[in-house]
C-alpha cells in the first residue's frame, strides 16, 4: 500500500511539474491571432496596386486557404501552432490511455481544421449571404444559424470558466476533440532566490530617500557648523582689525571681494555672492562662523583703503 501511494505521489508531482500554466496557453492563442493578422496584412499589400475591392468578394475563401496553409505546416506536421512552438508547447491526445506523450491523431488534426478554419469561413460566408438576400425563406435559416452561433459562444464561455478553474482545454474545440497543451520537454522546478531582488529594492529605496532628503539640507549651514566646531574663533567679531585681515578674499568665492560687504560678522563677501546666497536661502549663514544674516552692509571705506594700501 505504501509503494502504491509513493508511485501515485510521484505521478502527481510529475503532472504538476509538466502542467502548462494558464497564462502560457492564453499567450499562445494571442500569438496565433497576431500571426494571422500579420499574414493577412502582408498578403493584402501584394494587391495594393490592383483594382480596389478585388479581394472583397472572395475574402472568406482566401483567408481559409491561408489558414489551411498555416495549419498544414504547424499543427498537421509539428503538433503545435506557431504560438505554442514559441512557448515550447504542443498538443497531446487526451484520449490515449498511455501515460507517455501521444500526439493527436490524424482525424483529430483534420477535425481541428474543420472546426476552426471551416467554422470561421462558414460564419463569414453566411453573414454575407444573409446580408445580400432579404427573402422570407432565408429568415428562418438565419434565425437557426444565429441560435447555433449563440449556443457555441455560450459553450465557449462555459468552457473558459472551467479552464480558469482547472487549467486544461483553453478552447471549446480542444475539449471536444480531446487535445490539450503539454510541454515539449519536461520542465524542471526552479528555485528562485530573492537576495538580489531584496538588495535592489533596498538600494532603490535608499536612493529615493536621499533624493527626497538632499534638497532639504543646506550645505552652507552644514559647512558653517562643522567649521565652527572644528576651528573655534577668537577675538571680537566686529573689530576693525579683523575686518582688515580677512578682507583680502571673499568668504564664499575665495577671490578678491568685488564691492565688499559684510553680513554682521568679521568676514567679507562680494556683494553679488552674499546677495545671491541670501535670495536663494533666506536663512543663509556665514560659511566660516555660522552667523546668520542680519543686514547686508558695505564695508567701511577707511578699512578698505587701508587694506588696499597695505597690499
Amino acid at each position: 500500500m505504501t509503494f502504491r501511494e509513493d508511485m501515485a505521489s510521484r505521478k502527481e508531482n510529475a503532472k504538476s511539474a509538466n502542467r502548462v500554466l494558464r497564462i502560457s496557453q492564453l499567450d499562445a492563442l494571442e500569438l496565433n491571432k497576431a500571426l494571422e493578422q500579420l499574414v493577412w496584412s502582408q498578403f493584402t499589400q501584394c494587391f495594393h496596386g490592383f483594382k480596389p475591392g478585388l479581394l472583397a468578394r472572395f475574402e472568406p475563401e482566401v483567408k481559409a486557404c491561408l489558414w489551411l496553409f498555416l495549419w498544414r505546416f504547424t499543427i498537421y506536421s509539428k503538433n503545435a501552432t506557431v504560438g505554442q512552438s514559441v512557448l515550447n508547447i504542443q498538443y497531446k491526445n487526451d484520449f490515449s490511455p498511455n501515460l507517455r506523450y501521444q500526439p493527436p491523431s490524424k482525424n483529430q488534426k483534420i477535425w481541428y481544421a474543420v472546426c476552426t478554419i471551416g467554422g470561421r469561413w462558414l460564419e463569414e460566408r453566411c453573414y454575407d449571404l444573409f446580408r445580400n438576400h432579404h427573402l422570407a425563406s432565408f429568415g428562418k435559416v438565419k434565425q437557426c444559424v444565429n441560435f447555433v452561433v449563440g449556443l457555441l459562444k455560450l459553450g465557449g464561455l462555459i468552457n473558459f470558466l472551467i479552464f480558469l478553474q482547472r487549467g486544461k482545454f483553453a478552447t471549446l474545440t480542444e475539449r471536444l476533440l480531446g487535445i490539450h497543451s503539454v510541454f515539449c520537454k519536461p520542465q524542471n522546478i526552479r528555485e528562485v532566490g530573492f537576495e538580489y531582488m531584496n538588495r535592489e529594492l533596498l538600494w532603490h529605496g535608499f536612493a529615493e530617500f536621499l533624493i527626497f532628503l538632499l534638497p532639504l539640507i543646506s550645505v552652507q549651514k552644514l559647512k558653517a557648523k562643522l567649521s565652527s566646531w572644528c576651528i573655534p574663533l577668537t577675538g571680537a567679531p566686529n573689530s576693525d582689525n579683523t575686518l582688515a585681515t580677512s578682507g583680502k578674499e571673499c568668504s564664499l568665492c575665495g577671490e578678491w571681494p568685488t564691492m565688499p560687504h559684510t553680513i554682521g560678522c568679521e568676514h567679507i563677501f562680494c556683494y553679488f555672492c552674499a546677495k545671491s546666497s541670501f535670495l536663494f536661502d533666506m536663512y543663509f549663514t556665514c560659511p566660516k562662523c555660522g552667523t546668520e544674516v542680519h543686514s547686508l552692509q558695505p564695508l567701511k571705506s577707511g578699512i578698505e583703503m587701508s587694506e588696499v594700501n597695505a597690499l
Side-chain angles (χ1 to χ4, degrees), residues 26-37:
L26 296 178
D27 286 342
L29 295 177
E30 293 298 324
L31 289 173
N32 294 334
K33 294 178 182 178
L35 175 68
E36 291 177 358
Q37 293 177 359

Side-chain angles (χ1 to χ4, degrees), residues 109-160:
K109 296 177 182 178
I110 294 175
W111 277 110
Y112 182 89
V114 171
C115 294
T116 55
I117 303 173
R120 283 187 292 180
W121 170 82
L122 183 62
E123 182 180 2
E124 294 180 2
R125 182 49 67 190
C126 289
Y127 176 77
D128 293 338
L129 181 64
F130 295 145
R131 183 182 60 181
N132 297 328
H133 296 80
H134 301 283
L135 299 177
S137 58
F138 285 95
K140 296 182 179 180
V141 178
K142 183 178 180 181
Q143 292 179 357
C144 294
V145 171
N146 292 334
F147 180 74
V148 173
V149 172
L151 286 179
L152 291 176
K153 291 183 178 181
L154 179 61
L157 176 60
I158 297 174
N159 176 79
F160 184 73

Side-chain angles (χ1 to χ4, degrees), residues 206 208-226 280-281 283-285:
F206 182 69
E208 290 180 357
F209 175 73
L210 287 180
I211 293 173
F212 170 76
L213 185 62
L214 285 178
L216 304 178
I217 298 176
S218 178
V219 181
Q220 294 177 349
K221 285 186 178 181
L222 183 61
K223 185 178 179 181
K225 289 293 183 182
L226 294 177
F280 177 75
D281 184 10
Y283 300 103
F284 168 69
T285 57

Side-chain angles (χ1 to χ4, degrees), residues 61-297:
E61 287 74 16
V62 174
K63 284 186 176 181
C65 293
L66 289 177
W67 308 155
L68 278 175
F69 180 80
L70 292 177
W71 168 83
R72 172 60 182 83
F73 293 99
T74 54
I75 296 178
Y76 188 81
S77 59
K78 298 182 180 180
N79 304 320
T81 62
V82 176
Q84 290 177 331
S85 300
V86 172
L87 299 176
N88 193 26
I89 301 173
Q90 61 184 358
Y91 279 129
K92 178 185 176 181
N93 188 356
D94 196 59
F95 294 149
S96 176
N98 194 352
L99 295 178
R100 295 183 179 181
Y101 172 75
Q102 292 293 331
S105 63
K106 186 176 181 180
N107 292 331
Q108 287 176 323
K109 296 177 182 178
I110 294 175
W111 277 110
Y112 182 89
V114 171
C115 294
T116 55
I117 303 173
R120 283 187 292 180
W121 170 82
L122 183 62
E123 182 180 2
E124 294 180 2
R125 182 49 67 190
C126 289
Y127 176 77
D128 293 338
L129 181 64
F130 295 145
R131 183 182 60 181
N132 297 328
H133 296 80
H134 301 283
L135 299 177
S137 58
F138 285 95
K140 296 182 179 180
V141 178
K142 183 178 180 181
Q143 292 179 357
C144 294
V145 171
N146 292 334
F147 180 74
V148 173
V149 172
L151 286 179
L152 291 176
K153 291 183 178 181
L154 179 61
L157 176 60
I158 297 174
N159 176 79
F160 184 73
L161 295 177
I162 299 175
F163 164 74
L164 293 179
Q165 181 182 7
R166 300 182 180 179
K168 194 175 181 180
F169 302 119
T171 61
L172 183 61
T173 304
E174 296 177 3
R175 184 175 297 275
L176 294 177
L177 297 179
I179 55 176
H180 69 278
S181 300
V182 295
F183 284 111
C184 299
K185 297 179 182 179
Q187 302 295 307
N188 297 325
I189 300 177
R190 298 186 303 171
E191 295 182 0
V192 182
F194 296 96
E195 291 82 3
Y196 174 77
M197 186 179 297
N198 292 335
R199 289 197 300 268
E200 288 294 321
L201 290 175
L202 181 62
W203 169 248
H204 282 295
F206 182 69
E208 290 180 357
F209 175 73
L210 287 180
I211 293 173
F212 170 76
L213 185 62
L214 285 178
L216 304 178
I217 298 176
S218 178
V219 181
Q220 294 177 349
K221 285 186 178 181
L222 183 61
K223 185 178 179 181
K225 289 293 183 182
L226 294 177
S227 300
S228 62
W229 291 343
C230 298
I231 307 175
L233 298 173
T234 58
N238 294 326
S239 61
D240 294 341
N241 295 329
T242 308
L243 287 171
T245 54
S246 61
K248 295 181 181 180
E249 62 180 16
C250 175
S251 298
L252 287 175
C253 63
E255 302 293 335
W256 180 266
T258 303
M259 299 174 63
H261 280 65
T262 179
I263 61 174
C265 62
E266 71 274 13
H267 300 101
I268 306 301
F269 301 87
C270 297
Y271 171 76
F272 298 103
C273 294
K275 190 67 175 178
S276 59
S277 299
F278 179 72
L279 291 176
F280 177 75
D281 184 10
M282 61 182 303
Y283 300 103
F284 168 69
T285 57
C286 178
K288 293 188 176 181
C289 63
T291 304
E292 294 184 359
V293 178
H294 298 291
S295 61
L296 189 61
Q297 299 178 355

